[in-house]
Amino acid sequence: MSHERLSYLRAIADEWFEHEWIRALDRAMVDFLFRSGETNVAMLALAMLTSHQAGRGLTSLKLEDLKASPERCLALPPSGRSHDVTLPSKLLNELSVFEGDWQTSVSLNSDSSPLVLNKSSDGERLYLRRYWYCEHYNSQNLEMRMDNTLEVNDDQLNMTLDALFGDTSKQLDWQRMACANAARSAFSVITGGPGTGKTYTVVRLLVVLQQQFQQAHGRPLRIKLAAPTGKAAARLSESINEALSELQTKLPETLQPLLATIQIEASTVHKLLGVIANSRRYRHHEKNPVRADLIVIDEASMLDIEMMTALLQATPTQAQLVLLGDKDQLASVEAGAVLGNLCEGAEKGGYWSSTINSLASTHAQRDALIQYQDEAGPKRLQHVVMLRQTRRFEQAIADVANSINDQNTRAIEHFFSAPVSEYDSNIVTWLMLEHDRQDSFDLLIKQGFSHYLRALEQWREAPAEQRDTAAVLDAYATFQLLTGLRNGPWGAHALNRYVADVLGVEADRWYEGRPVMVTKNDYGLRLNNGDIGVTFRMPETGRLRVAFFDSHGKVKWVLPSRLNHVETVYVMTVHKSQGSEFAHTVLVTPQHDSPVLTKELLYTGVTRAKKKLTLVVSKKSVFLNAVSKRINR
């Protein structure tokens, strides 16, 4: 082995890390493998590059793309960064990575190799071994579950669906179709944008599956509900129980007893699997599966490939698994895009005629589904139903979200060219900061938080028995600033300091009115990552307390000294906002492009708005470029 070539590789890794092109983990991969006995410099370089791709959320490195355009394949150097350092192509040329046969020049696919070379019709791809195992396992496991078709009593099923959804014989009710599809399969997916009724649908699905299971097995269905984050799990529990209460007044007497058997509380996926402290393993796995007949996972777009593998391993082979989520939202922070991959092409249906026959209960429904028929459609789409009618948004917000999701830059250009009056008189507005409208941004901040600050003042002045803490928490949740970045001048940290300056407070110390977000689950305090609290000064003692909503919607108080993992949250990242909604959402985009700025990020940010949306655009070309980019995992 040439020590000069190894030194050269290390020098490049150090240089890239210094410029924040790669992670410390990617750089450390070189030394780790060298100490483990790897002597092939090309192998070390490829391991570093494949690790870099994993850091970008990709499970593999496509060799054809790497050879054709390494800078584009690796997103190096990132847009807006200096180009005066060694480019990836120089590294690849120096190492002659593409000379000779892969199998002989690099010791791939041996049991000890950290990399696996996979050859398929899609070309050659390099995987870190654990991601290759996850893809291989998930593919086989899902194939097995998709082949497991459940026997149902069609007449009984349709009678129950009629009771739950009313007479839909003359229209295409996708929520009903989702229930009909999930009732027949051991694995199913219900996808749809915000406001399309995923929770509404899954509550009715629980009634359907509970009835089917009790008739077949003579006992109640054991149900487990989970979501990737504690905040999403708490929202799911709240939504499910509210929907069950509403349903109780609408169901016929024959179905009423079923509701008492499905009063459930959601947990995080980690808790469902049984986290083992300081370990990557879980208590539940193939030899010790979760005791459940039905597992429902909400916000499945957040599931990364390793978490999906752990979930499949822990789900009994005879149990039903249902995934819920928005396929167009941001994918998981870690590598993989499980929901997006499963739902690719779902908007077109891709249903076989046999699938349409199982979904439709009338000739009218079959006729309406014909446009979604495709006998060449993939098997996975026979297990996916996409909800299409949005009920939550104002139409103007939906129009912007759809334009972004469709990557319709012409529609966005038209939106930006329309005249803008005072922002608070419109449903969707924008501020173009590149035209020197900083004062308008400051005014937006002051007016946006004014409702919250007034509620806080009213709380302070009210007699003790009349203080409405919940009203202050609700007032804070009506307005939220979002950004796609965490660091940098337009990241959450910097913008939180900027907002604090505009409001005349300090960003990172404890004071009355400071809003904070929990950044790590605290099981002792029963606080979840993403929970938001507001700081109050108790008039009687002068001491500070932080108020949060608990999982039942009641206020609980916590001493600031007990909160070890919190940060100020006048501004949060779009990633942190997933699963939340705000009456007025302000999405701020930076002056310079970034690999994380994609149409998925913009779509996710825009769809957090319920009644009003403001886009604060630092540079129009950066926003439009983000619309034209998409995550490709």
Side-chain angles (χ1 to χ4, degrees), residues 45-57:
L46 287 168
M48 181 181 75
L49 299 181
T50 307
S51 175
H52 165 71
Q53 294 296 77
R56 296 177 55 221

Side-chain angles (χ1 to χ4, degrees), residues 392-410:
R392 181 189 300 174
F393 296 137
E394 296 284 353
Q395 187 57 45
I397 298 173
D399 290 343
V400 174
N402 291 335
S403 295
I404 291 172
N405 200 32
D406 296 338
Q407 298 184 288
N408 188 342
T409 54
R410 180 175 296 181

Side-chain angles (χ1 to χ4, degrees), residues 275-289:
V275 175
I276 298 176
N278 303 315
S279 171
R280 296 174 65 93
R281 296 179 293 110
Y282 300 94
R283 287 195 301 274
H284 292 294
H285 43 75
E286 286 176 309
K287 295 182 179 180
N288 181 33

Side-chain angles (χ1 to χ4, degrees), residues 582-593:
F582 311 98
H584 183 184
T585 296
V586 178
L587 178 61
V588 183
T589 55
Q591 288 180 328
H592 300 291
D593 197 8

Side-chain angles (χ1 to χ4, degrees), residues 286-329:
E286 286 176 309
K287 295 182 179 180
N288 181 33
V290 174
R291 290 177 58 82
D293 305 302
L294 169 66
I295 295 177
V296 180
I297 306 296
D298 194 19
E299 297 290 349
S301 61
M302 297 185 193
L303 287 177
D304 61 80
I305 189 171
E306 288 188 281
M307 182 58 69
M308 185 64 179
T309 301
L311 176 64
L312 293 175
Q313 289 173 334
T315 301
T317 55
Q318 73 277 11
Q320 287 181 271
L321 177 62
V322 179
L323 303 183
L324 307 173
D326 184 350
K327 70 180 182 64
D328 296 315
Q329 276 194 29

